[in-house]
Amino acid sequence: MAIVALCACGNGEKQSLNYRGLSMGMPFKTFCDSLTARGFAIDSAHSDSDFTRVSMYNPNLNYRLMLAQKNDTLKALQENYYISTNDSTRKMWQQLHDEFEKQIGAWPNMLKDGKDHRIAKFEDKGGFITLTLENTYKPTLSVLYQLK
């Protein structure tokens, strides 16, 4: 039994970060196709011509996605939220923070912790999730997923 457990753990398979149930380790085109099946569309006006950086949106959601790839491998994905008030972004930041804490089971490294500028960096198997709030003249909230 111990040998079976050892073989299962030592199979050399690299753990990959998940984005809302999708493995970020799948080929880039497959990942984009999976997002398209979930209602996202490519915004060609905000994407590179060689699709190194791809912008995607879903009209039913209050955020857009920016995906970065190299050699058909997804390197990073960022959600950029569109929220109109500072209070809304503070509330959303806290909700996302609490969800990631629960999902990952760990506290983040708080790179910045002010009322209107907060950065929390979570480390998960296969990558990092950085949650950023910047309430200045125009409130911004983003979540960056980066593979290790």
Side-chain angles (χ1 to χ4, degrees):
M1 190 67 156
I3 294 173
V4 172
L6 181 62
C7 291
C9 293
N11 64 3
E13 187 176 317
K14 183 180 173 185
Q15 291 285 338
S16 187
L17 189 62
N18 283 328
Y19 171 72
R20 298 183 183 258
L22 294 176
S23 171
M24 290 178 66
M26 67 176 78
F28 185 72
K29 177 149 180 24
T30 305
F31 190 84
C32 288
D33 290 344
S34 297
L35 288 172
T36 301
R38 292 181 175 197
F40 283 88
I42 293 177
D43 181 356
S44 57
H46 293 98
S47 298
D48 287 352
S49 59
D50 62 355
F51 287 99
T52 303
R53 290 181 302 174
V54 175
S55 177
M56 298 185 84
Y57 69 96
N58 182 330
N60 300 320
L61 299 173
N62 66 339
Y63 62 88
R64 292 172 84 59
L65 296 177
M66 181 58 81
L67 295 85
Q69 65 108 358
K70 184 175 182 181
N71 300 327
D72 196 38
T73 303
L74 181 64
K75 295 296 181 186
L77 177 149
Q78 183 168 324
E79 295 175 337
N80 295 308
Y81 285 84
Y82 296 102
I83 303 173
S84 59
T85 67
N86 287 347
D87 288 340
S88 298
T89 55
R90 284 185 204 111
K91 182 178 179 183
M92 174 80 68
W93 187 92
Q94 193 60 55
Q95 289 171 343
L96 289 168
H97 177 273
D98 295 346
E99 286 175 23
F100 288 132
E101 248 182 32
K102 186 176 180 182
Q103 172 188 329
I104 295 170
W107 289 74
N109 180 8
M110 292 298 295
L111 304 175
K112 182 115 178 148
D113 194 14
K115 180 179 179 183
D116 287 323
H117 190 189
R118 298 178 187 166
I119 302 173
K121 189 168 189 173
F122 296 86
E123 183 173 0
D124 195 12
K125 60 182 183 288
F128 301 96
I129 301 171
T130 306
L131 180 60
T132 304
L133 167 73
E134 291 185 72
N135 282 338
T136 52
Y137 298 108
K138 180 180 175 188
T140 60
L141 178 66
S142 65
V143 182
L144 175 65
Y145 296 79
Q146 294 175 292
L147 295 174
K148 286 184 179 176

